[in-house]
Amino acid sequence: NAGVTQTPKFRVLKTGQSMTLLCAQDMNHEYMYWYRQDPGMGLRLIHYSVGEGTTAKGEVPDGYNVSRLKKQNFLLGLESAAPSQTSVYFCASSYGEGSDTQYFGPGTRLTVL
Amino acid sequence: GEDVEQSLFLSVREGDSSVINCTYTDSSSTYLYWYKQEPGAGLQLLTYIFSNMDMKQDQRLTVLLNKKDKHLSLRIADTQTGDSAIYFCAERYDYKLSFGAGTTVTVRA
């Protein structure tokens, strides 16, 4: 099992450009999450999904959109990138029951110039 | 989200015990977690504790939970250089996790 994978690993954008980050999991997890990590602030939840076809806003959703068309994939979109979106983005997934442990991907480092 | 607080830095000598502390705010949290992040990597689950437990031990790791004070701690026995990393405390609320800012642990020889 690959677990949780993210593509790309690194990306540099200019202000105003758009891009999509892809997260894939092969553990048949119901729940998937997108976080951003900034220095000294821990991880903050952007959006999450509790099942195929569902999405919900997290703590810092502005400027981002998501889609969960397939159970194994969770896409994070930036329609018009801003320098404030420079961050490391992590995807996670979980079963959604029991201890509900979240398993994390390796991260995507995004720089917006 | 809920507020989770932890000290930012800890320096420990190799072979000593490390204790990382965390406070949380949501008394209805069912699970609390400790994650480890090594440089350039994602978060790796170290251990978790259910809210009706006071203590959980797993090899070199001991988790203590004081629900009355909403205080969680992680003790690493016989700290090694490979334990140098950022450690995150997290509490679960609804379907989501709320993370602390992370404690950077540096192990010195």
Side-chain angles (χ1 to χ4, degrees):
Chain A
N1 286 353
V4 180
T5 58
Q6 294 182 231
T7 53
K9 288 186 169 47
F10 302 93
R11 186 72 186 268
V12 178
L13 290 179
K14 293 181 179 178
T15 298
Q17 287 185 318
S18 63
M19 77 162 294
T20 300
L21 281 67
L22 172 63
C23 175
Q25 51 94 4
D26 61 1
M27 296 175 282
N28 201 34
H29 284 168
E30 286 293 331
Y31 294 5
M32 296 187 75
Y33 310 82
W34 275 107
Y35 295 89
R36 60 177 289 171
Q37 183 180 28
D38 301 294
M41 299 187 72
L43 276 75
R44 292 182 292 168
L45 183 64
I46 304 170
H47 286 281
Y48 64 100
S49 167
V50 299
E52 182 179 316
T54 75
T55 63
K57 294 180 180 179
E59 187 183 351
V60 288
D62 294 342
Y64 304 95
N65 57 75
V66 287
S67 64
R68 183 106 182 264
L69 298 180
K70 293 183 179 181
K71 186 176 183 179
Q72 64 267 35
N73 295 337
F74 195 30
L75 278 62
L76 177 71
L78 286 73
E79 289 185 350
S80 180
S84 61
Q85 294 177 303
T86 294
S87 188
V88 181
Y89 292 85
F90 288 101
C91 175
S93 68
S94 70
Y95 281 112
E97 57 187 33
S99 67
D100 198 28
T101 299
Q102 291 188 18
Y103 295 86
F104 283 79
T108 295
R109 184 173 294 275
L110 175 66
T111 301
V112 182
L113 302 175
Chain B
E2 306 300 323
D3 290 330
V4 178
E5 295 188 356
Q6 15 179 167
S7 53
L8 292 182
F9 301 99
L10 176 67
S11 178
V12 62
R13 188 172 300 176
E14 189 175 9
D16 288 351
S17 292
S18 307
V19 179
I20 307 167
N21 295 302
C22 169
T23 57
Y24 62 97
T25 57
D26 188 353
S27 59
S28 63
S29 294
T30 52
Y31 289 92
L32 296 122
Y33 307 82
W34 284 103
Y35 282 86
K36 176 184 181 182
Q37 184 182 34
E38 296 181 354
L43 274 70
Q44 170 195 356
L45 178 72
L46 282 179
T47 187
Y48 64 88
I49 187 167
F50 188 50
S51 58
N52 69 351
M53 299 171 65
D54 297 325
M55 185 182 83
K56 180 179 180 180
Q57 190 152 0
D58 183 2
Q59 299 182 327
R60 293 191 297 123
L61 305 179
T62 302
V63 178
L64 295 178
L65 176 60
N66 181 328
K67 284 195 71 176
K68 175 176 171 289
D69 295 336
K70 299 190 183 69
H71 183 265
L72 182 73
S73 68
L74 174 69
R75 178 177 178 268
I76 305 173
D78 187 25
T79 309
Q80 303 298 307
T81 55
D83 295 323
S84 291
I86 303 176
Y87 292 80
F88 292 94
C89 163
E91 65 170 339
R92 177 182 170 186
Y93 67 103
D94 294 332
Y95 310 114
K96 297 160 281 188
L97 293 183
S98 181
F99 286 86
T103 300
T104 300
V105 173
T106 302
V107 181
R108 59 187 194 276

